[in-house]
Amino acid sequence: MYSLMDYGWMLADRQRCAAFMHVMRENIGTDSVVLDLGAGPGLLSLYALKLGARLVYAIDPNPAIRLLAKLQPDAVKSGRLRIYCCDSRKVSVEEAADVVLADIRGPTSFAGGCFDIVTDACARLKKPGGMVYPQRDQIHVAPVCEEAVIGKLRSYWLDNLLDVDASVVFRHEMGQIRDSKAASGDLLAPSQKWGAVEWNPVPRMTWVDSLCFEIERGGRLDGFLQWFDLAFDNETTVSNSPGSEDVVYGRCSFLLSEPVEVSPGWVVTLSLRAFHTPSRTHWTWSGEVRDASGMRRHSFSESSLKSTSLLAIGAKSDVICE
Ligand SMILES: C[S@@+](CC[C@H](N)C(=O)[O-])C[C@H]1O[C@@H](n2cnc3c(N)ncnc32)[C@H](O)[C@@H]1O
């Protein structure tokens, strides 16, 4: 759950803030009904009120949203601002929204069950013809050498200060999705567009079944870096690509269980898939590495369920005997 410091950090992201202000100024008028979906402490709701919106719904399960009532007691009293401290899927509204502000994403476009949450909001809380902002995510991936992440995992588990064998933990930590600080110089091949999400009129996702990368820079292939370009409208885009100015979302990498050394001219194929559930998105990433002569050097098959299954064992019993 985010802290107020986290929300402050999100609001201090100039690019993201400017993009929201732009689409809000363009699309909110005195007759607008606005839904601030995942409002946090509700500053976008305050801005919607400032622009004259007739009715604003602010929804977030985080108790930080309760502060909003203290900031705008008159709007709450008059019914112009309605605040719900809960999951939006439990909320019903009398009048559906013209404008939905929905930025629940994190390092991926689907963090926190976002796909399901927005799908539900579009079906029940948005007017036909109403709009969700941002409108579109374009998602890119590229093979990456994750020196910093792998170095950290090695120092925690393989080269630990106690000098004990924790290699099982290290192996468990590999083959997972990790926050990444990789820069464009860490990419081993040019990126490719993997997929896109159109959030209007209802969320719809498309992706490419299989991507094929030709290695340009030799090195250790640790996984695949993913990032997105967010289109707020046709002219306003915010990107968390490794080449652009840092934005609050960060990026993540889909790590391989076993990194592999690759050389220029080698070919890496990747099949990356996303499966949405109400609480989260699960991912699988599989493929192979072939050298310049076409000989297969490596194959991989990973799943984000790996970390979930370990937690499930813990939940079954407090004492694990085997
Ligand atoms: C990235 S923050 C955005 C905060 C704020 N709207 C902003 O733009 O600064 C995403 C918010 O979505 C909220 N959220 C997550 N799941 C939700 C749900 N099911 N219903 C409503 N809000 C949700 C989180 O608690 C979090 O505050």
Side-chain angles (χ1 to χ4, degrees), residues 1-2 6-11 16 20 36-45 59-64 84 86-91 101-106 111-114 117 248-249 278:
M1 194 165 268
Y2 291 122
D6 296 329
Y7 289 120
W9 181 52
M10 290 172 207
L11 290 157
R16 196 184 76 104
F20 267 115
D36 186 358
L37 182 61
L43 271 72
L44 294 180
S45 298
I59 312 180
D60 203 301
N62 190 313
Y84 304 83
C86 63
D87 186 319
S88 58
R89 289 166 290 195
K90 298 203 169 104
V91 172
L101 309 168
D103 192 15
I104 300 170
R105 56 182 69 66
C114 161
I117 293 165
V248 74
Y249 306 104

Side-chain angles (χ1 to χ4, degrees), residues 20 22-29 31-37 44-45 48 51 53 55-58 95-102 121-122 125-134 200 232:
F20 267 115
H22 168 74
V23 289
M24 288 174 74
R25 275 196 305 258
E26 292 288 307
N27 297 287
I28 296 177
D31 198 34
S32 302
V33 180
V34 177
L35 167 59
D36 186 358
L37 182 61
L44 294 180
S45 298
L51 292 173
L55 176 59
V56 177
Y57 302 109
E95 186 177 355
D98 306 288
V99 171
V100 178
L101 309 168
C122 286
L125 308 176
K126 177 172 80 82
K127 276 184 193 147
M131 288 295 284
V132 177
Y133 298 99
N200 292 291
F232 279 72

Side-chain angles (χ1 to χ4, degrees), residues 257-272:
S257 294
E258 288 175 41
V260 53
E261 289 294 330
V262 293
S263 302
W266 289 28
V267 172
V268 179
T269 51
L270 168 69
S271 172
L272 175 65

Side-chain angles (χ1 to χ4, degrees), residues 146-161 166 169-170 173-174 178-182 220 222 255:
E146 276 289 359
E147 199 55 60
V149 176
I150 306 291
K152 217 184 248 180
L153 293 176
R154 287 191 71 87
S155 73
Y156 291 165
W157 306 114
L158 293 187
D159 311 325
N160 63 73
L161 297 174
V169 187
F170 177 76
E173 289 291 86
M174 298 294 286
R178 294 277 160 223
D179 287 348
S180 169
K181 295 273 182 239
R220 195 184 63 213
D222 291 322
L255 297 183

